[in-house]
Amino acid sequence: MNIEYRTQKELPNDKLYKLFHAVGWVREDTTTQELTSQEMFDNFNIGFINSTFVFSAWCNDRLVGCVRALSDLHFRSVMYDLAVLPEFQHRGIGTELVRRCRNACENSEWLVQTDDAKGFYEKIGFKENKDHFLTVPCKWFNSI
């Protein structure tokens, strides 16, 4: 298995959608107007395009993993959307994607929001903090 790591921000919408579907972040049975609209699909990678850093993992022409980060490049950085295809998990790809993020801004505090992957992040050095984060969801969250 030869994994190539890339830094381009414009990940193909169809490949990114397939990866998110494989990890359970979008559902095939979703029939809401937003998800079936061309606007949703055309902008599926907009979060990546507008991020500070994007790292992706490829096996041949297949997107097998990705992560993105927003950062002020000094004090605080936030990691989002770390995803690895299930059949490629437990091979160090997720750890390598996180390492590349952290190396891109090594003196920064790194934040990540997670539930299911908490153990993974703790295993690679993240610690739980007691900060309170409040959110207002975007229009797409109820549809995917």
Side-chain angles (χ1 to χ4, degrees):
M1 174 184 71
N2 186 27
I3 300 297
E4 176 189 355
Y5 292 93
R6 301 180 189 169
T7 59
Q8 86 260 16
K9 292 182 179 184
E10 292 192 31
L11 299 177
N13 286 328
D14 60 331
K15 293 180 187 294
L16 188 60
Y17 181 88
K18 286 178 186 176
L19 174 59
F20 278 25
H21 179 266
V23 299
W25 293 349
V26 292
R27 295 184 321 267
E28 196 69 39
D29 64 336
T30 302
T31 58
T32 64
Q33 180 179 357
E34 291 86 5
L35 188 58
T36 58
S37 75
Q38 191 64 42
E39 176 193 9
M40 171 66 173
F41 185 77
D42 288 346
N43 290 291
F44 202 77
N45 65 356
I46 201 76
F48 286 79
I49 291 169
N50 291 316
S51 291
T52 311
F53 306 111
V54 172
F55 298 98
S56 57
W58 298 79
C59 184
N60 300 317
D61 193 37
R62 187 175 181 199
L63 177 64
V64 299
C66 67
V67 67
R68 67 186 184 96
L70 299 177
S71 178
D72 62 20
L73 305 177
H74 270 301
F75 302 107
R76 185 160 287 148
S77 302
V78 183
M79 206 173 302
Y80 292 100
D81 300 329
L82 174 64
V84 176
L85 285 175
E87 62 265 33
F88 285 83
Q89 292 176 4
H90 307 290
R91 298 182 186 187
I93 294 170
T95 300
E96 179 62 20
L97 291 168
V98 170
R99 186 191 70 75
R100 287 172 184 257
C101 275
R102 294 186 64 195
N103 285 349
C105 206
E106 61 188 341
N107 294 321
S108 176
E109 172 188 33
W110 279 92
L111 304 171
V112 65
Q113 179 187 5
T114 187
D115 285 330
D116 296 339
K118 182 178 180 227
F120 166 78
Y121 287 106
E122 289 174 334
K123 187 171 74 173
I124 60 173
F126 284 78
K127 297 184 179 8
E128 188 172 350
N129 68 25
K130 300 300 179 194
D131 291 345
H132 297 277
F133 292 93
L134 308 174
T135 67
V136 174
C138 76
K139 74 177 187 175
W140 305 112
F141 284 179
N142 291 331
S143 65
I144 57 175

